[in-house]
Short mmCIF file of all heavy atoms in Angstrom, two decimals:
data_model
loop_
_atom_site.label_atom_id
_atom_site.label_comp_id
_atom_site.label_asym_id
_atom_site.label_seq_id
_atom_site.Cartn_x
_atom_site.Cartn_y
_atom_site.Cartn_z
N MET T 1117 40.75 28.37 251.25
CA MET T 1117 39.84 29.55 251.63
C MET T 1117 40.67 30.69 251.88
O MET T 1117 41.75 30.64 252.45
CB MET T 1117 39.08 29.23 252.86
CG MET T 1117 38.19 30.25 253.31
SD MET T 1117 37.03 29.53 254.58
CE MET T 1117 36.63 31.01 255.29
N ASN T 1118 40.31 31.81 251.24
CA ASN T 1118 41.17 33.01 251.46
C ASN T 1118 40.35 34.06 252.15
O ASN T 1118 39.26 34.54 251.77
CB ASN T 1118 41.46 33.52 250.12
CG ASN T 1118 42.58 34.64 250.07
OD1 ASN T 1118 43.03 34.96 251.03
ND2 ASN T 1118 42.83 35.22 248.93
N ALA T 1119 40.89 34.56 253.33
CA ALA T 1119 40.17 35.53 254.09
C ALA T 1119 41.16 36.51 254.66
O ALA T 1119 41.65 36.45 255.83
CB ALA T 1119 39.58 34.84 255.31
N PRO T 1120 41.63 37.50 253.74
CA PRO T 1120 42.72 38.43 254.18
C PRO T 1120 42.39 39.30 255.35
O PRO T 1120 43.30 39.75 256.03
CB PRO T 1120 42.97 39.27 252.87
CG PRO T 1120 41.71 39.07 252.12
CD PRO T 1120 41.18 37.71 252.42
N GLN T 1121 41.05 39.50 255.56
CA GLN T 1121 40.64 40.44 256.72
C GLN T 1121 40.63 39.63 258.07
O GLN T 1121 40.54 40.23 259.16
CB GLN T 1121 39.31 41.10 256.46
CG GLN T 1121 38.09 40.09 256.52
CD GLN T 1121 37.92 39.17 255.44
OE1 GLN T 1121 38.68 39.18 254.48
NE2 GLN T 1121 36.81 38.35 255.53
N ALA T 1122 40.78 38.27 258.06
CA ALA T 1122 40.66 37.56 259.31
C ALA T 1122 41.95 37.63 260.13
O ALA T 1122 43.07 37.82 259.64
CB ALA T 1122 40.50 36.05 258.92
N ASP T 1123 41.71 37.68 261.50
CA ASP T 1123 42.78 37.71 262.43
C ASP T 1123 43.21 36.28 262.87
O ASP T 1123 42.32 35.36 262.77
CB ASP T 1123 42.43 38.39 263.78
CG ASP T 1123 42.32 39.93 263.46
OD1 ASP T 1123 43.05 40.45 262.66
OD2 ASP T 1123 41.46 40.51 264.20
N ILE T 1124 44.52 36.06 263.11
CA ILE T 1124 44.87 34.76 263.68
C ILE T 1124 44.54 34.70 265.21
O ILE T 1124 44.91 35.60 265.94
CB ILE T 1124 46.30 34.42 263.44
CG1 ILE T 1124 46.57 34.44 261.98
CG2 ILE T 1124 46.75 33.23 264.06
CD1 ILE T 1124 47.97 34.33 261.57
N VAL T 1125 43.74 33.69 265.56
CA VAL T 1125 43.28 33.61 266.97
C VAL T 1125 43.87 32.25 267.57
O VAL T 1125 43.67 31.22 266.91
CB VAL T 1125 41.76 33.62 267.13
CG1 VAL T 1125 41.31 33.48 268.48
CG2 VAL T 1125 41.22 34.93 266.54
N GLN T 1126 44.44 32.38 268.72
CA GLN T 1126 44.83 31.25 269.45
C GLN T 1126 43.96 30.99 270.67
O GLN T 1126 43.89 31.98 271.54
CB GLN T 1126 46.29 31.27 269.91
CG GLN T 1126 47.32 31.52 268.73
CD GLN T 1126 47.47 30.10 268.03
OE1 GLN T 1126 47.28 29.15 268.55
NE2 GLN T 1126 47.65 30.28 266.80
N ASP T 1127 43.30 29.95 270.77
CA ASP T 1127 42.33 29.73 271.97
C ASP T 1127 43.24 29.15 273.11
O ASP T 1127 44.34 28.65 272.95
CB ASP T 1127 41.24 28.81 271.59
CG ASP T 1127 41.70 27.39 271.27
OD1 ASP T 1127 42.13 27.33 269.97
OD2 ASP T 1127 41.70 26.57 272.10
N LYS T 1128 42.75 29.36 274.29
CA LYS T 1128 43.47 29.02 275.51
C LYS T 1128 43.66 27.40 275.58
O LYS T 1128 44.75 26.85 276.06
CB LYS T 1128 42.64 29.32 276.71
CG LYS T 1128 42.70 30.87 277.02
CD LYS T 1128 41.81 31.14 278.29
CE LYS T 1128 41.64 32.72 278.46
NZ LYS T 1128 40.95 32.99 279.66
N LEU T 1129 42.74 26.65 275.10
CA LEU T 1129 42.97 25.25 275.22
C LEU T 1129 44.19 24.73 274.40
O LEU T 1129 44.83 24.02 274.86
CB LEU T 1129 41.65 24.55 274.58
CG LEU T 1129 41.76 23.06 274.57
CD1 LEU T 1129 41.72 22.32 275.89
CD2 LEU T 1129 40.51 22.49 273.69
N HIS T 1130 44.19 25.22 273.24
CA HIS T 1130 45.32 24.73 272.31
C HIS T 1130 46.66 25.36 272.72
O HIS T 1130 47.81 24.72 272.70
CB HIS T 1130 45.00 25.11 270.75
CG HIS T 1130 43.98 24.14 270.20
ND1 HIS T 1130 42.63 24.48 270.15
CD2 HIS T 1130 44.14 22.97 269.73
CE1 HIS T 1130 42.04 23.48 269.67
NE2 HIS T 1130 42.91 22.61 269.33
N THR T 1131 46.60 26.64 273.28
CA THR T 1131 47.83 27.23 273.78
C THR T 1131 48.28 26.54 274.99
O THR T 1131 49.53 26.12 275.08
CB THR T 1131 47.51 28.67 274.25
OG1 THR T 1131 47.13 29.45 273.02
CG2 THR T 1131 48.89 29.36 274.68
N SER T 1132 47.51 26.05 275.87
CA SER T 1132 47.83 25.30 277.08
C SER T 1132 48.34 23.86 276.61
O SER T 1132 49.36 23.41 277.21
CB SER T 1132 46.63 25.08 277.97
OG SER T 1132 46.30 26.22 278.53
N LYS T 1133 47.81 23.32 275.63
CA LYS T 1133 48.22 22.13 275.20
C LYS T 1133 49.65 22.06 274.64
O LYS T 1133 50.56 21.26 274.98
CB LYS T 1133 47.33 21.58 273.91
CG LYS T 1133 47.80 20.34 273.24
CD LYS T 1133 46.90 20.02 272.13
CE LYS T 1133 47.44 18.86 271.19
NZ LYS T 1133 46.72 18.70 270.11
N TYR T 1134 50.09 23.09 273.89
CA TYR T 1134 51.37 23.19 273.27
C TYR T 1134 52.27 23.58 274.39
O TYR T 1134 53.43 23.06 274.48
CB TYR T 1134 51.37 24.31 272.24
CG TYR T 1134 50.50 24.03 270.98
CD1 TYR T 1134 49.63 24.93 270.46
CD2 TYR T 1134 50.58 22.76 270.39
CE1 TYR T 1134 48.89 24.65 269.43
CE2 TYR T 1134 49.92 22.39 269.32
CZ TYR T 1134 49.04 23.41 268.85
OH TYR T 1134 48.29 23.09 267.66
N LEU T 1135 51.90 24.36 275.38
CA LEU T 1135 52.88 24.78 276.48
C LEU T 1135 53.06 23.48 277.27
O LEU T 1135 54.29 23.20 277.77
CB LEU T 1135 52.32 25.92 277.29
CG LEU T 1135 52.30 27.29 276.70
CD1 LEU T 1135 51.60 28.32 277.55
CD2 LEU T 1135 53.75 27.76 276.39
N ASN T 1136 52.12 22.73 277.72
CA ASN T 1136 52.19 21.55 278.53
C ASN T 1136 53.10 20.47 277.82
O ASN T 1136 53.89 19.89 278.38
CB ASN T 1136 50.83 20.94 278.85
CG ASN T 1136 50.13 21.79 279.89
OD1 ASN T 1136 50.70 22.61 280.61
ND2 ASN T 1136 48.83 21.57 280.00
N LYS T 1137 52.92 20.39 276.51
CA LYS T 1137 53.78 19.49 275.65
C LYS T 1137 55.19 19.90 275.82
O LYS T 1137 56.26 18.99 275.97
CB LYS T 1137 53.27 19.43 274.33
CG LYS T 1137 53.88 18.42 273.44
CD LYS T 1137 53.28 18.28 272.19
CE LYS T 1137 53.98 17.31 271.23
NZ LYS T 1137 53.24 17.08 269.93
N ALA T 1138 55.50 21.27 275.70
CA ALA T 1138 56.90 21.67 275.77
C ALA T 1138 57.49 21.53 277.19
O ALA T 1138 58.55 21.13 277.28
CB ALA T 1138 56.97 23.13 275.44
N VAL T 1139 56.66 21.73 278.16
CA VAL T 1139 57.15 21.53 279.62
C VAL T 1139 57.48 20.02 279.69
O VAL T 1139 58.62 19.74 280.36
CB VAL T 1139 56.20 22.00 280.60
CG1 VAL T 1139 56.59 21.59 282.07
CG2 VAL T 1139 56.02 23.54 280.60
N GLY T 1140 56.70 19.14 279.27
CA GLY T 1140 56.94 17.75 279.44
C GLY T 1140 58.19 17.27 278.61
O GLY T 1140 58.92 16.53 279.20
N LYS T 1141 58.40 17.81 277.52
CA LYS T 1141 59.55 17.55 276.70
C LYS T 1141 60.84 18.04 277.48
O LYS T 1141 61.84 17.26 277.51
CB LYS T 1141 59.53 18.24 275.32
CG LYS T 1141 60.52 17.90 274.32
CD LYS T 1141 60.29 18.47 272.97
CE LYS T 1141 61.30 18.02 271.97
NZ LYS T 1141 61.11 18.63 270.71
N VAL T 1142 60.83 19.16 277.94
CA VAL T 1142 61.96 19.60 278.67
C VAL T 1142 62.18 18.81 279.98
O VAL T 1142 63.28 18.48 280.35
CB VAL T 1142 61.84 21.17 279.04
CG1 VAL T 1142 62.95 21.59 280.04
CG2 VAL T 1142 61.96 21.98 277.86
N HIS T 1143 61.07 18.48 280.65
CA HIS T 1143 61.23 17.78 281.85
C HIS T 1143 61.74 16.31 281.59
O HIS T 1143 62.72 15.94 282.32
CB HIS T 1143 59.79 17.50 282.56
CG HIS T 1143 59.84 16.73 283.78
ND1 HIS T 1143 59.69 15.45 283.89
CD2 HIS T 1143 59.96 17.19 285.07
CE1 HIS T 1143 59.75 14.95 285.07
NE2 HIS T 1143 59.96 16.05 285.80
N ARG T 1144 61.41 15.62 280.47
CA ARG T 1144 61.92 14.42 280.09
C ARG T 1144 63.51 14.49 279.86
O ARG T 1144 64.24 13.59 280.34
CB ARG T 1144 61.20 13.82 279.00
CG ARG T 1144 59.82 13.21 279.34
CD ARG T 1144 59.16 12.38 278.19
NE ARG T 1144 59.04 13.23 277.04
CZ ARG T 1144 57.92 14.03 276.84
NH1 ARG T 1144 57.03 14.13 277.68
NH2 ARG T 1144 57.83 14.77 275.70
N ALA T 1145 63.83 15.46 279.09
CA ALA T 1145 65.22 15.73 278.78
C ALA T 1145 66.07 15.89 280.07
O ALA T 1145 67.18 15.30 280.22
CB ALA T 1145 65.35 16.81 277.76
N GLU T 1146 65.54 16.77 280.88
CA GLU T 1146 66.32 17.17 282.13
C GLU T 1146 66.41 15.84 283.03
O GLU T 1146 67.43 15.58 283.59
CB GLU T 1146 65.67 18.25 282.88
CG GLU T 1146 65.73 19.62 282.24
CD GLU T 1146 67.15 20.17 282.11
OE1 GLU T 1146 67.89 19.90 283.20
OE2 GLU T 1146 67.60 20.72 281.22
N HIS T 1147 65.35 15.24 283.16
CA HIS T 1147 65.35 13.97 284.02
C HIS T 1147 66.29 12.93 283.44
O HIS T 1147 66.96 12.31 284.21
CB HIS T 1147 63.86 13.40 284.08
CG HIS T 1147 63.68 12.18 285.02
ND1 HIS T 1147 63.97 12.26 286.24
CD2 HIS T 1147 63.41 10.95 284.68
CE1 HIS T 1147 63.87 11.01 286.79
NE2 HIS T 1147 63.38 10.22 285.87
N ARG T 1148 66.28 12.80 282.16
CA ARG T 1148 67.20 11.75 281.47
C ARG T 1148 68.68 12.19 281.76
O ARG T 1148 69.34 11.28 282.10
CB ARG T 1148 66.99 11.78 279.96
CG ARG T 1148 67.55 10.54 279.23
CD ARG T 1148 67.30 10.57 277.79
NE ARG T 1148 65.88 10.82 277.38
CZ ARG T 1148 65.40 12.01 276.80
NH1 ARG T 1148 66.21 12.96 276.40
NH2 ARG T 1148 64.12 12.25 276.54
N ASP T 1149 68.99 13.46 281.65
CA ASP T 1149 70.41 13.90 281.91
C ASP T 1149 70.70 13.74 283.44
O ASP T 1149 71.89 13.29 283.66
CB ASP T 1149 70.51 15.33 281.50
CG ASP T 1149 70.52 15.54 280.00
OD1 ASP T 1149 70.76 14.67 279.29
OD2 ASP T 1149 70.34 16.69 279.71
N LEU T 1150 69.78 13.97 284.27
CA LEU T 1150 70.12 13.88 285.73
C LEU T 1150 70.37 12.34 286.00
O LEU T 1150 71.11 12.02 286.82
CB LEU T 1150 69.00 14.45 286.50
CG LEU T 1150 68.91 15.94 286.60
CD1 LEU T 1150 67.65 16.52 287.21
CD2 LEU T 1150 70.18 16.57 287.24
N MET T 1151 69.54 11.50 285.44
CA MET T 1151 69.56 10.01 285.72
C MET T 1151 70.81 9.52 285.33
O MET T 1151 71.34 8.42 285.76
CB MET T 1151 68.31 9.33 285.20
CG MET T 1151 67.04 9.57 285.82
SD MET T 1151 66.99 9.26 287.57
CE MET T 1151 67.14 7.49 287.59
N LYS T 1152 71.49 10.09 284.29
CA LYS T 1152 72.77 9.56 283.86
C LYS T 1152 73.82 9.70 284.94
O LYS T 1152 74.77 8.91 284.98
CB LYS T 1152 73.29 10.29 282.64
CG LYS T 1152 72.52 10.06 281.30
CD LYS T 1152 73.00 10.84 280.22
CE LYS T 1152 72.27 10.60 278.98
NZ LYS T 1152 72.62 11.47 277.87
N ASN T 1153 73.68 10.56 285.94
CA ASN T 1153 74.50 10.83 287.00
C ASN T 1153 73.76 10.28 288.33
O ASN T 1153 74.22 10.67 289.44
CB ASN T 1153 74.79 12.24 287.23
CG ASN T 1153 75.58 12.81 286.01
OD1 ASN T 1153 76.39 12.22 285.40
ND2 ASN T 1153 75.23 14.09 285.63
N ASP T 1154 72.89 9.38 288.19
CA ASP T 1154 72.12 8.76 289.31
C ASP T 1154 71.55 9.89 290.18
O ASP T 1154 71.47 9.72 291.43
CB ASP T 1154 73.04 7.84 290.21
CG ASP T 1154 73.51 6.57 289.31
OD1 ASP T 1154 72.69 6.19 288.67
OD2 ASP T 1154 74.65 6.26 289.57
N ASP T 1155 71.09 10.96 289.72
CA ASP T 1155 70.50 12.07 290.46
C ASP T 1155 68.96 11.85 290.19
O ASP T 1155 68.47 12.02 289.03
CB ASP T 1155 70.93 13.43 289.88
CG ASP T 1155 70.33 14.57 290.61
OD1 ASP T 1155 69.36 14.42 291.35
OD2 ASP T 1155 70.88 15.73 290.48
N GLU T 1156 68.14 11.64 291.17
CA GLU T 1156 66.69 11.46 291.08
C GLU T 1156 66.00 12.64 291.42
O GLU T 1156 64.77 12.38 292.09
CB GLU T 1156 66.42 10.21 291.88
CG GLU T 1156 66.97 8.95 291.40
CD GLU T 1156 66.50 7.66 292.17
OE1 GLU T 1156 65.80 7.82 293.23
OE2 GLU T 1156 67.03 6.51 291.86
N THR T 1157 66.43 13.74 291.41
CA THR T 1157 65.79 15.03 291.78
C THR T 1157 64.43 15.13 291.25
O THR T 1157 63.45 15.60 291.81
CB THR T 1157 66.65 16.25 291.44
OG1 THR T 1157 67.94 16.09 292.00
CG2 THR T 1157 66.10 17.54 291.89
N LEU T 1158 64.24 14.83 289.93
CA LEU T 1158 62.99 15.02 289.37
C LEU T 1158 62.02 13.82 289.42
O LEU T 1158 60.95 13.89 288.78
CB LEU T 1158 63.11 15.41 287.78
CG LEU T 1158 63.95 16.80 287.64
CD1 LEU T 1158 64.04 17.06 286.16
CD2 LEU T 1158 63.09 17.86 288.26
N GLU T 1159 62.58 12.71 290.06
CA GLU T 1159 61.66 11.61 290.14
C GLU T 1159 60.40 11.93 290.94
O GLU T 1159 60.36 12.45 291.90
CB GLU T 1159 62.52 10.54 290.89
CG GLU T 1159 61.87 9.17 290.92
CD GLU T 1159 62.02 8.52 289.56
OE1 GLU T 1159 62.89 8.70 288.86
OE2 GLU T 1159 61.07 7.67 289.16
N GLY T 1160 59.23 11.51 290.19
CA GLY T 1160 57.95 11.66 290.88
C GLY T 1160 57.40 13.13 290.89
O GLY T 1160 56.36 13.40 291.54
N ASN T 1161 57.98 13.98 290.10
CA ASN T 1161 57.59 15.44 290.13
C ASN T 1161 57.00 15.78 288.75
O ASN T 1161 56.90 17.09 288.43
CB ASN T 1161 58.65 16.31 290.41
CG ASN T 1161 59.07 16.17 291.94
OD1 ASN T 1161 58.15 16.14 292.81
ND2 ASN T 1161 60.34 16.00 292.18
N LYS T 1162 56.71 14.90 287.79
CA LYS T 1162 56.26 15.25 286.50
C LYS T 1162 55.12 16.28 286.46
O LYS T 1162 55.15 17.29 285.79
CB LYS T 1162 55.99 14.00 285.74
CG LYS T 1162 55.34 14.13 284.36
CD LYS T 1162 54.98 12.89 283.62
CE LYS T 1162 54.53 12.97 282.29
NZ LYS T 1162 54.19 11.82 281.62
N TYR T 1163 53.98 15.95 287.25
CA TYR T 1163 52.85 16.71 287.16
C TYR T 1163 52.87 17.97 287.96
O TYR T 1163 52.10 18.92 287.84
CB TYR T 1163 51.64 15.99 287.52
CG TYR T 1163 51.37 14.81 286.40
CD1 TYR T 1163 51.75 13.58 286.74
CD2 TYR T 1163 50.92 15.19 285.24
CE1 TYR T 1163 51.50 12.51 285.84
CE2 TYR T 1163 50.71 14.11 284.25
CZ TYR T 1163 51.14 12.86 284.55
OH TYR T 1163 50.89 11.82 283.65
N LEU T 1164 53.96 18.24 288.82
CA LEU T 1164 54.17 19.26 289.59
C LEU T 1164 54.33 20.46 288.75
O LEU T 1164 53.82 21.63 289.10
CB LEU T 1164 55.30 19.02 290.62
CG LEU T 1164 55.48 20.16 291.70
CD1 LEU T 1164 54.26 20.22 292.61
CD2 LEU T 1164 56.62 19.70 292.56
N PHE T 1165 55.07 20.32 287.81
CA PHE T 1165 55.44 21.44 286.81
C PHE T 1165 54.15 21.90 285.94
O PHE T 1165 54.11 22.97 285.37
CB PHE T 1165 56.54 21.10 285.84
CG PHE T 1165 57.86 20.93 286.66
CD1 PHE T 1165 58.32 19.72 286.98
CD2 PHE T 1165 58.56 22.05 286.99
CE1 PHE T 1165 59.49 19.56 287.70
CE2 PHE T 1165 59.77 22.02 287.69
CZ PHE T 1165 60.13 20.63 288.07
N LEU T 1166 53.14 20.95 285.79
CA LEU T 1166 52.01 21.25 285.00
C LEU T 1166 50.82 21.80 285.80
O LEU T 1166 49.98 22.39 285.20
CB LEU T 1166 51.59 19.94 284.23
CG LEU T 1166 52.62 19.37 283.25
CD1 LEU T 1166 52.18 18.02 282.75
CD2 LEU T 1166 53.00 20.40 282.12
N LYS T 1167 50.96 21.68 286.96
CA LYS T 1167 49.78 22.12 287.87
C LYS T 1167 49.74 23.53 288.10
O LYS T 1167 50.81 24.25 288.31
CB LYS T 1167 49.84 21.28 289.27
CG LYS T 1167 48.63 21.38 290.17
CD LYS T 1167 48.71 20.49 291.24
CE LYS T 1167 47.47 20.44 291.99
NZ LYS T 1167 47.53 19.41 293.15
N ASN T 1168 48.58 24.07 288.04
CA ASN T 1168 48.34 25.48 288.36
C ASN T 1168 48.64 25.73 289.78
O ASN T 1168 48.07 25.11 290.69
CB ASN T 1168 46.83 25.87 288.19
CG ASN T 1168 46.57 27.35 288.19
OD1 ASN T 1168 47.24 28.05 288.95
ND2 ASN T 1168 45.49 27.72 287.61
N PRO T 1169 49.54 26.75 290.16
CA PRO T 1169 50.02 27.02 291.49
C PRO T 1169 48.71 27.42 292.34
O PRO T 1169 48.84 27.13 293.60
CB PRO T 1169 50.83 28.21 291.30
CG PRO T 1169 51.32 28.15 289.99
CD PRO T 1169 50.31 27.53 289.08
N ILE T 1170 47.68 27.79 291.92
CA ILE T 1170 46.48 28.21 292.63
C ILE T 1170 45.96 26.90 293.34
O ILE T 1170 45.30 27.02 294.41
CB ILE T 1170 45.45 28.95 291.81
CG1 ILE T 1170 45.99 30.26 291.40
CG2 ILE T 1170 44.02 29.11 292.50
CD1 ILE T 1170 45.09 30.93 290.34
N ASN T 1171 46.11 25.81 292.57
CA ASN T 1171 45.46 24.55 293.00
C ASN T 1171 46.48 23.60 293.80
O ASN T 1171 46.14 22.53 294.13
CB ASN T 1171 44.92 23.72 291.90
CG ASN T 1171 43.97 24.56 291.20
OD1 ASN T 1171 43.10 25.25 291.72
ND2 ASN T 1171 43.82 24.35 289.85
N MET T 1172 47.60 24.21 294.15
CA MET T 1172 48.67 23.38 294.83
C MET T 1172 48.58 23.37 296.31
O MET T 1172 48.12 24.43 296.86
CB MET T 1172 50.17 23.92 294.49
CG MET T 1172 50.65 23.56 293.20
SD MET T 1172 52.31 24.21 293.00
CE MET T 1172 52.62 23.75 291.29
N SER T 1173 48.83 22.43 296.85
CA SER T 1173 48.82 22.22 298.35
C SER T 1173 50.10 22.99 298.77
O SER T 1173 51.02 23.25 298.05
CB SER T 1173 48.75 20.88 298.85
OG SER T 1173 50.05 20.21 298.49
N GLU T 1174 50.20 23.26 300.09
CA GLU T 1174 51.42 23.89 300.62
C GLU T 1174 52.57 23.03 300.47
O GLU T 1174 53.71 23.46 300.17
CB GLU T 1174 51.27 24.24 302.17
CG GLU T 1174 50.24 25.40 302.41
CD GLU T 1174 50.62 26.72 301.62
OE1 GLU T 1174 51.82 27.06 301.59
OE2 GLU T 1174 49.84 27.34 301.07
N ALA T 1175 52.47 21.66 300.69
CA ALA T 1175 53.61 20.71 300.33
C ALA T 1175 54.08 20.77 298.90
O ALA T 1175 55.28 20.76 298.66
CB ALA T 1175 53.10 19.46 300.81
N GLU T 1176 53.12 20.81 298.06
CA GLU T 1176 53.55 20.83 296.51
C GLU T 1176 54.12 22.23 296.25
O GLU T 1176 55.19 22.22 295.55
CB GLU T 1176 52.27 20.75 295.69
CG GLU T 1176 51.75 19.36 295.77
CD GLU T 1176 50.32 19.21 295.00
OE1 GLU T 1176 49.61 20.26 295.11
OE2 GLU T 1176 50.08 18.26 294.40
N LYS T 1177 53.79 23.29 296.81
CA LYS T 1177 54.40 24.55 296.60
C LYS T 1177 55.80 24.65 297.19
O LYS T 1177 56.75 25.16 296.50
CB LYS T 1177 53.60 25.76 297.34
CG LYS T 1177 52.40 26.12 296.63
CD LYS T 1177 51.58 27.19 297.36
CE LYS T 1177 50.19 27.40 296.71
NZ LYS T 1177 49.50 28.44 297.41
N GLU T 1178 55.92 24.06 298.36
CA GLU T 1178 57.30 23.92 298.99
C GLU T 1178 58.35 22.96 298.15
O GLU T 1178 59.36 23.35 297.91
CB GLU T 1178 57.20 23.33 300.37
CG GLU T 1178 58.43 23.51 301.25
CD GLU T 1178 59.00 24.94 301.31
OE1 GLU T 1178 58.04 25.92 301.47
OE2 GLU T 1178 60.18 25.25 301.27
N SER T 1179 57.69 21.90 297.64
CA SER T 1179 58.51 20.92 296.75
C SER T 1179 58.91 21.72 295.51
O SER T 1179 60.06 21.60 295.07
CB SER T 1179 57.63 19.82 296.50
OG SER T 1179 58.37 18.77 295.82
N LEU T 1180 58.03 22.44 294.88
CA LEU T 1180 58.34 23.23 293.58
C LEU T 1180 59.37 24.13 293.92
O LEU T 1180 60.28 24.43 293.15
CB LEU T 1180 57.11 23.84 292.89
CG LEU T 1180 57.27 24.53 291.65
CD1 LEU T 1180 57.86 23.57 290.67
CD2 LEU T 1180 56.00 25.07 291.20
N LYS T 1181 59.28 24.98 295.00
CA LYS T 1181 60.21 25.96 295.42
C LYS T 1181 61.58 25.30 295.59
O LYS T 1181 62.58 25.91 295.14
CB LYS T 1181 59.72 26.62 296.68
CG LYS T 1181 60.58 27.74 297.20
CD LYS T 1181 60.05 28.34 298.41
CE LYS T 1181 60.83 29.50 298.99
NZ LYS T 1181 60.41 30.02 300.19
N THR T 1182 61.59 24.17 296.12
CA THR T 1182 62.94 23.44 296.41
C THR T 1182 63.58 22.97 295.00
O THR T 1182 64.77 23.23 294.92
CB THR T 1182 62.69 22.17 297.20
OG1 THR T 1182 62.15 22.55 298.55
CG2 THR T 1182 64.05 21.39 297.57
N LEU T 1183 62.79 22.53 294.14
CA LEU T 1183 63.26 22.12 292.87
C LEU T 1183 63.87 23.41 292.08
O LEU T 1183 64.73 23.38 291.40
CB LEU T 1183 62.20 21.56 291.97
CG LEU T 1183 61.79 20.05 292.50
CD1 LEU T 1183 60.54 19.60 291.80
CD2 LEU T 1183 62.95 19.11 292.28
N ARG T 1184 63.15 24.60 292.17
CA ARG T 1184 63.52 25.73 291.52
C ARG T 1184 64.94 26.28 292.08
O ARG T 1184 65.63 26.74 291.28
CB ARG T 1184 62.55 26.90 291.65
CG ARG T 1184 61.39 26.61 290.77
CD ARG T 1184 60.39 27.81 290.93
NE ARG T 1184 59.45 27.73 289.90
CZ ARG T 1184 58.28 28.51 289.96
NH1 ARG T 1184 58.24 29.45 290.88
NH2 ARG T 1184 57.50 28.62 288.99
N ILE T 1185 65.21 26.03 293.37
CA ILE T 1185 66.41 26.55 293.93
C ILE T 1185 67.55 25.64 293.40
O ILE T 1185 68.73 26.18 293.13
CB ILE T 1185 66.39 26.51 295.50
CG1 ILE T 1185 65.40 27.56 295.87
CG2 ILE T 1185 67.61 26.76 296.00
CD1 ILE T 1185 64.95 27.63 297.42
N ASN T 1186 67.36 24.25 293.35
CA ASN T 1186 68.34 23.39 292.90
C ASN T 1186 68.52 23.64 291.45
O ASN T 1186 69.24 23.49 290.67
CB ASN T 1186 68.00 21.97 293.26
CG ASN T 1186 67.93 21.75 294.69
OD1 ASN T 1186 68.55 22.46 295.49
ND2 ASN T 1186 67.13 20.81 295.18
#
């Protein structure tokens, strides 16, 4: 199909999917590297990076803040 006048549109659902996939890939790689040195900093925090900050509890926000500093 040829539609030269059409714009390329990215919907929020697919954009979120690709971003979440990229975040997961980086998280796995970082966790793997840290575990080589017996560093469990990222243990149990997989979904913390994917969660919308608006929906985070105060404890989750503090945990994410601590991870960002380290």
Side-chain angles (χ1 to χ4, degrees):
M1117 184 169 160
N1118 191 4
Q1121 75 283 4
D1123 290 331
I1124 296 175
V1125 178
Q1126 296 291 332
D1127 62 279
K1128 290 180 184 180
L1129 176 69
H1130 287 94
T1131 302
S1132 293
K1133 175 185 169 185
Y1134 297 130
L1135 289 173
N1136 288 342
K1137 188 174 181 179
V1139 169
K1141 188 175 182 180
V1142 171
H1143 182 271
R1144 283 189 301 278
E1146 290 292 324
H1147 182 61
R1148 194 177 317 114
D1149 288 344
L1150 289 171
M1151 290 302 290
K1152 287 179 184 176
N1153 298 322
D1154 295 325
D1155 184 344
E1156 296 183 359
T1157 303
L1158 294 179
E1159 190 73 30
N1161 292 313
K1162 177 180 178 180
Y1163 294 104
L1164 189 59
F1165 293 97
L1166 299 174
K1167 192 168 186 178
N1168 186 335
I1170 294 171
N1171 299 325
M1172 286 183 180
S1173 68
E1174 289 303 316
E1176 290 171 327
K1177 288 178 184 178
E1178 193 61 37
S1179 187
L1180 183 60
K1181 185 177 177 182
T1182 302
L1183 289 171
R1184 285 182 165 171
I1185 292 171
N1186 296 334

